[in-house]
Amino acid sequence: MKKITNFIAVFALAAIFTSCNQNDEGEKSGAMASSAAEKVYVSPGEHDEYYAFLSGGYSGNLTVYGLPSGRMLKEIPVFSQFPTNGYGYSEETKDMLKTSFGMVPWGDSHHPDISQTNGEIDGRWIFINENNTPRIARISLETFETEEIIEIPHSAGNHSSSYVTENTEYVVAGTRFSVPYPQRDMPIDEMKGNFKGPLTFIAVDDDGHMEIDFQVDMPGFNYDLSHPGRGESHGWFFFTTYNTEESHTMQEVNASQNDKDFIAAVNWKKISEYVENGGGEIMDAEYVHNVFDHDTQTTISTTKNEVLKVDPRDIPGAVFFMPTPKSPHGCDVDPSGEYIIGNGKLSSDLTVHSFSKMLDAIDNEEFDGDAYGIPVLKFESTLAGTVKDAGLGPLHTEFDDKGNAYTTFFISSEVVKWKVGSWEVLDRQPSYYSVGHLMISGGNSRKPDGKYMISLNKITKDRYLPTGPELEHSAQLFDISGDKMELLLDFPTHGEPHYAAAIKADKIKENSKKIYRLDENNHKYAALNEGETKMVREGNEVHVYMTTVRSHFAPDNLEGIHVGDKVYFHVTNLEQDFDVPHGFAVIGANTSELLIMPGQTKTITWEPKKPGVWPFYCTDFCSALHQEMQGYIRVSAEGANTPMKWGLDDEYTSN
């Protein structure tokens, strides 16, 4: 009870601190009394300056916003079925959600990260992790569609992901929950020393294709967040840990006993060389790798059965632990690559570690023992400085292009600006409410952009009109180009945005794909003109090769389908004009509708349950005669001898 009482006291103090900060914002001052609206206004026909990609948390998806307007431009389905366009339901995309646990139709997406070249975000792909069923996805920033999802074996709570190295050599997948490695039946209270926290390094080739290169067999701590080195520290990866106590119950108390937890410094270049020279041990691992093939417009799903495990103790100089204040969350590296920030959530100070001092400490063997055979460096030997009394509950830090850092404080609900090197607090702004991560365009790269910052808030309370007990989360846009942060806008976000990434629109928009070319459509069931439309029966399966164009389907009358049949509608959009999708929906469908982009083919299944004449129609308003874009399917009783025929404009074909 004494532990719990002390813990409650910390949060009581935090509540007072939060209340004081929020009351200070009572008067409409600063941005709220200035021309903030003008600064975020993007007039009709003009484009936003930035794309911002916000994780959807428990929605499983990724949302795209324009900055500075805060307008939501698109929701990209990634780990969850999406009936808006049939992702995860259509025959082409449902295998994207395959895992070793079967088809998992939802996800918990957390941390997007944009591909980099020479430490600068390049706009080719964006990667995002799935926390619950450990997976990493790669999304094309040409098509804004999910192209690849790879499952992470032996992992649980894929949280310290999906951060990429500065030339996109690797994307990492850490393990938040330590588990048996490999999984097995064992008593939970015997976890200490028996559970592990494997870190997975996924190689990315020049086309973006992902393959698991190796897993690092780490002690059974919880690995919370991570960040790659850059500049002189390129070749290293840094992971915060918590629960170094290896507690299995009441972790809010029992995992906060040690004065310090660790930042794990992993020399991935050294490990990669070890692997290239034949090091490591092959171990059994069942996982699924799904790749969308644009040529055939279908998913290729492969089950794999092994992974390479590396014991860091076999590689001198591969992994070290740096003590840092207890229960750290974010693990952030400044643009120079020299400073590593990993702050304890229960501390009011920010602790900054030095990469160069870390290397000196390693060379001089300034160790304070070891943890399961991994050297622990002395705290003072890596300490670069401390930002004193910055706030309560530090979580995450990003950087601008002027040598400043910005840190979120969850408990005191604020964003604090401080100077890298002098560790001086320069400004603080309240956030409504309980801010988690923040995002600066390129703020996790060598070349950040110091114009805007977004705080991603966990609680909304009274920011918007009430919509019952559930409100969308809140994001707040700040202008950080001056000495003081200026609040410009706040706007609701869909799902829980854990983290975000942004990039100048000019790096993407000219490469954005407008249509799929019909002459490149190699889908097995595509009908590339109305002359190729047909119906084919294969036992109780019926394949309908259908086309759409403004403003009709071909065929639009179908007969000879029976109760008990499984009907595959393969629908090809013949349009070759930008932004003219067509939809397809049929009454009684138990899967989803489809939204088919110009030049694309998509397939949905339909199993009619009742005889009758059932309509189908276009769900996307496409022309003045959109309402007339419809058709009928005649369904006869099971076993009926109704002949199969199909047609358009009363011209029928039969077989």
Side-chain angles (χ1 to χ4, degrees), residues 17 21 343 347-352 385-392 394 397 400 403-409 412 414-430 482-485:
F17 199 109
N21 270 328
N343 307 292
S347 173
S348 62
D349 297 338
L350 305 182
T351 303
V352 183
T386 303
V387 183
K388 300 295 291 183
D389 300 321
L392 289 176
T397 301
D400 66 15
N404 302 311
Y406 301 76
T407 300
T408 56
F409 290 83
S412 52
E414 60 183 332
V415 179
V416 174
K417 176 182 178 180
W418 50 277
K419 191 69 176 177
V420 176
S422 71
W423 325 124
E424 173 191 7
V425 172
L426 303 175
D427 188 24
R428 62 177 73 237
Q429 287 292 329
D483 292 337
K484 299 294 182 181
M485 296 177 279

Side-chain angles (χ1 to χ4, degrees), residues 96-149:
M96 291 295 286
L97 303 181
K98 273 189 175 180
T99 75
S100 62
F101 299 92
M103 194 271 200
V104 178
W106 70 278
D108 183 18
S109 59
H110 277 224
H111 305 125
D113 205 20
I114 299 171
S115 57
Q116 297 187 17
T117 302
N118 296 324
E120 183 176 358
I121 52 178
D122 57 28
R124 291 178 294 166
W125 312 291
I126 187 163
F127 301 87
I128 191 166
N129 61 322
E130 205 279 277
N131 192 36
N132 181 69
T133 307
R135 288 171 283 175
I136 297 287
R138 178 179 55 83
I139 298 155
S140 165
L141 292 181
E142 180 185 21
T143 63
F144 284 68
E145 294 180 349
T146 303
E147 291 190 332
E148 186 173 10
I149 298 177

